[in-house]
Amino acid sequence: MPTSTPANQATGMPAGSRRRGWLRQALLLVLAMGCGVLVANNPFRPSSENPDATARGYLRFKEILSYVDRDYADSVDTEGLADYAVAQMLEKLDPHSVYIPARDREKTDSFLQSDYDGIGVEFNTFRDTVTVVAPLSGGPAEQAGVQAGDQILSIGGKRVSGAHLTSGQLSQLLRGPRGSSVAIELRRHRLARSLSFSIARRSIPNSSIDAAYLVDDQTGYIKVSRFASNTYDEFKAALADLRHQGLTRLVLDLRGNPGGYLDRATRLADEFIAGSRKIVYTDGKGDQYDSQTYAKVAGEFEEGSLVVLVDEGSASAAEVVAGALQDHDRATLVGRRTFGKGLVQQPIALSDGGELRLTIARYYTPAGRSIQKPYGANYAEYSAELSGRSDRGELQSADSIHFSNKLRFRTDHGRTVYGGGGIMPDVFVPRDSVAHSVYYTKLLSHGVVRAFALNFYQSQKAELEGLRFEQFNATFRITDAQLLSLTAQAAQDGVKADAAAVRRCAALLRNQLKAYIARSAYGTVAYYTVLREQDAELQRALHVVSDSTAQLALLGK
């Protein structure tokens, strides 16, 4: 099983927009660092190759820690020192071997769970005011009467408005044992008094399929945010539904997908790969952790035009899928070079309740490519590799990306592909520099855009409810006056207006505002449908997937 580390899943919040600039890049790095191809159910056994050196090292550490605890001039946190020492030791091995303390395991594991216990509400925090973006359809919050735009004043008797709580802290207040109840106090637009609800927590689906819909009569779009425990079943159901609606070609979006369980990823890949061709193999020290995985089922979509979207945030198990489909010339990859995470971690439960995720092998694509990028002994350089791509121009031009001829491989149809640092797509799309500009990313990170959209939705709720989404999407536009109002509101929150910057990102801002309004009024599919207008990578993918002649040429067929 490969895994990934957590995003904020406690409240059922979707992955959100791909346009997060440097904040998103930092988050993707953290996720990819913690994620990896995890091989589970293998019992841990101490090495018998070098027992004397291991024993000497253990005794030396124990002796030093004992002296520090007993004789150091000040009181010390010995457990904290031990955690630090372990982290530094693992850093010397590789960037993905990690120790997860017991206190963090639940949060880490929740990223890959198919459900959680809570009330099912997505929220946004702006100026320390917590606002409901949307209650989960059919969830406890919706059934209790919670509405999009409601402001949360208190949770379980604890004041949250003006309390400067993080999203994680708010999520923990909303979560709790299944069957337990939590008291919520809300303020609703145009009501003089606050509203109080007692909502019983229950199991809330934690879907890893962010969106699945038909773009036109034939073209389907499925976005997979991670490979969690239920991803394969969710994907099968979504694909079958789209096939029933008439799907004959598909865009599979793996952008920003940091990985997850390897067996879910390989089963998903098997849906596209015919026969018994290899999907992935692993190679470690000796043959204990060597494995080979082959296609073995009659897949749901083994024929038909297929495009896979990838970017620098696609890592680990996502790269396994992309690499297998590219090596077998089954799909055209569109986007930018993937993260480059090709190490396999073994999860080992420790006696203190923590978990060691130790690298025990490397994984390889069917053609023999190792996707792991170089890391050497300098952890700081490895951590800065993504920003280095930007500095070198790799995110803007394919010509800036250079691969060693020694790492050249061939696909089934003889096309040249490379190993040694991520999966290079067949069709390169430069990163949108406007979407990653300082001003635009500040607007998003401060929550200004979503807050403005929620306020608009609340004030125009009656009108919006009288429109079908198709009418809204065809006629609704953000006016210049509304854009000026947004930038003025942002300035009050510390995001100073820059006329040139506003003009530069005006189209993106209008689109993002419209998408957030559509999310509150019409749901997730409406949100992604609106975003599609300004998504250059997806637009290119849709063009490729619909041009069968050009795609066959790209695939060397």
Side-chain angles (χ1 to χ4, degrees):
M1 299 192 313
T3 64
S4 313
T5 41
N8 182 9
Q9 301 300 317
T11 54
M13 297 172 67
S17 170
R18 67 186 178 88
R19 304 178 176 110
R20 301 295 184 196
W22 58 269
L23 287 174
R24 174 180 176 274
Q25 191 174 87
L27 176 60
L28 290 173
L29 178 62
V30 170
L31 288 171
M33 288 293 192
C35 87
V37 180
L38 292 187
V39 179
N41 301 319
N42 290 314
F44 172 73
R45 293 183 297 275
S47 171
S48 58
E49 294 181 8
N50 197 13
D52 292 341
T54 303
R56 287 194 299 271
Y58 164 74
L59 290 173
R60 182 163 58 249
F61 180 76
K62 179 182 177 182
E63 186 176 15
I64 291 172
L65 189 63
S66 297
Y67 276 117
V68 169
D69 184 42
R70 190 186 69 190
D71 298 328
Y72 187 68
D74 299 317
S75 296
V76 294
D77 175 8
T78 52
E79 286 200 28
L81 286 175
D83 288 352
Y84 176 78
V86 167
Q88 293 297 304
M89 175 181 67
L90 294 175
E91 250 183 44
K92 276 292 186 181
L93 302 177
D94 67 82
H96 299 287
S97 290
V98 295
Y99 164 65
I100 302 170
R103 62 181 178 273
D104 296 332
R105 278 195 67 184
E106 181 180 354
K107 183 174 67 175
T108 303
D109 293 343
S110 68
F111 182 64
L112 298 178
Q113 293 172 357
S114 60
D115 59 13
Y116 64 93
D117 294 336
I119 66 171
V121 64
E122 178 189 345
F123 61 82
N124 179 61
T125 303
F126 176 63
R127 292 184 186 166
D128 216 27
T129 298
V130 185
T131 305
V132 175
V133 173
L136 180 71
S137 179
E142 184 189 59
Q143 292 178 349
V146 177
Q147 299 178 8
D150 287 347
Q151 294 179 343
I152 303 177
L153 304 178
S154 68
I155 302 172
K158 181 179 177 64
R159 196 78 178 173
V160 298
S161 179
H164 305 289
L165 300 178
T166 66
S167 293
Q169 290 171 323
L170 290 165
S171 297
Q172 288 304 312
L173 290 173
L174 291 167
R175 295 184 71 170
R178 192 174 307 183
S180 64
S181 294
V182 60
I184 306 288
E185 184 185 5
L186 304 170
R187 181 192 295 124
R188 183 165 294 168
H189 185 64
R190 292 179 179 171
L191 291 184
R193 295 183 178 179
S194 63
L195 302 173
S196 296
F197 299 90
S198 179
I199 306 175
R201 299 179 177 100
R202 71 166 192 247
S203 175
I204 304 298
N206 190 17
S207 178
S208 54
I209 305 297
D210 285 355
Y213 64 95
L214 284 184
V215 176
D216 55 39
D217 291 343
Q218 300 179 64
T219 309
Y221 170 82
I222 300 178
K223 180 171 179 59
V224 183
S225 63
R226 66 197 188 284
F227 290 99
S229 59
N230 207 40
T231 298
Y232 175 70
D233 295 331
E234 292 174 3
F235 175 80
K236 281 277 288 183
L239 184 60
D241 180 56
L242 295 182
R243 293 272 285 174
H244 181 72
Q245 296 179 50
L247 175 146
T248 60
R249 52 201 186 204
L250 176 66
V251 174
L252 176 66
D253 192 345
L254 298 182
R255 290 175 296 178
N257 183 321
Y261 291 117
L262 180 60
D263 62 333
R264 275 64 163 188
T266 56
R267 290 174 71 190
L268 186 148
D270 198 356
E271 292 298 314
F272 303 114
I273 297 173
S276 56
R277 287 180 285 182
K278 187 179 293 183
I279 296 175
V280 67
Y281 70 94
T282 63
D283 185 25
K285 183 167 61 177
D287 57 8
Q288 180 180 358
Y289 296 112
D290 294 354
S291 67
Q292 300 191 57
T293 303
Y294 293 86
K296 57 185 178 182
V297 301
E300 183 75 22
F301 197 66
E302 292 183 349
E303 296 183 0
S305 185
L306 176 64
V307 166
V308 178
L309 275 167
V310 294
D311 65 7
E312 57 278 2
S314 307
S316 188
E319 293 175 290
V320 169
V321 175
L325 295 175
Q326 187 180 55
D327 282 4
H328 291 308
D329 299 295
R330 174 63 189 94
T332 305
L333 272 55
V334 173
R336 292 179 298 281
R337 182 164 65 101
T338 60
F339 182 87
K341 166 69 178 70
L343 301 177
V344 184
Q345 278 74 51
Q346 160 79 37
I348 303 167
L350 303 176
S351 59
D352 67 351
E355 183 176 271
L356 170 64
R357 294 183 177 178
L358 184 67
T359 297
I360 47 86
R362 290 176 171 80
Y363 75 76
Y364 297 83
T365 71
R369 291 186 283 169
S370 170
I371 305 306
Q372 178 62 47
K373 59 189 176 184
Y375 52 87
N378 193 323
Y379 186 83
E381 284 187 12
Y382 187 83
S383 300
E385 194 272 337
L386 283 185
S387 59
R389 293 187 193 184
S390 179
D391 296 339
R392 293 188 297 271
E394 290 189 23
L395 302 180
Q396 296 301 319
S397 170
D399 294 338
S400 299
I401 305 171
H402 303 287
F403 294 98
S404 169
N405 286 332
K406 296 178 181 178
L407 299 174
R408 187 184 332 189
F409 296 84
R410 298 288 183 183
T411 68
D412 288 358
H413 288 97
R415 295 186 303 130
T416 299
V417 289
Y418 293 90
I423 301 284
M424 185 66 187
D426 305 300
V427 178
F428 179 86
V429 180
R431 189 171 73 169
D432 188 339
S433 59
V434 175
H436 291 80
S437 64
V438 173
Y439 182 70
Y440 185 78
T441 53
K442 278 186 177 181
L443 287 176
L444 292 180
S445 64
H446 280 244
V448 182
V449 182
R450 176 162 278 194
F452 189 91
L454 281 170
N455 288 335
F456 181 91
Y457 167 72
Q458 280 285 22
S459 64
Q460 304 295 323
K461 187 175 180 181
E463 287 186 41
L464 291 169
E465 288 178 346
L467 290 175
R468 292 181 294 107
F469 169 67
E470 291 74 17
Q471 295 172 304
F472 167 86
N473 197 33
T475 61
F476 181 83
R477 295 291 181 272
I478 297 294
T479 66
D480 291 343
Q482 288 164 343
L483 207 58
L484 285 173
S485 178
L486 168 68
T487 57
Q489 184 173 307
Q492 292 176 14
D493 195 51
V495 184
K496 294 183 179 180
D498 179 320
V502 173
R503 285 195 300 271
R504 189 167 175 240
C505 66
L508 281 178
L509 276 177
R510 294 179 200 275
N511 181 254
Q512 188 69 65
L513 280 167
K514 182 178 177 179
Y516 279 144
I517 294 167
R519 171 74 179 88
S520 295
Y522 306 104
T524 302
V525 171
Y527 171 79
Y528 280 99
T529 300
V530 173
L531 281 184
R532 192 171 72 227
E533 296 176 14
Q534 292 291 321
D535 190 337
E537 295 153 24
L538 179 52
Q539 291 295 336
R540 187 64 181 275
L542 292 172
H543 175 74
V544 171
V545 81
S546 63
D547 188 341
S548 58
T549 301
Q551 189 177 23
L552 287 173
L554 284 168
L555 295 175
K557 296 180 179 179

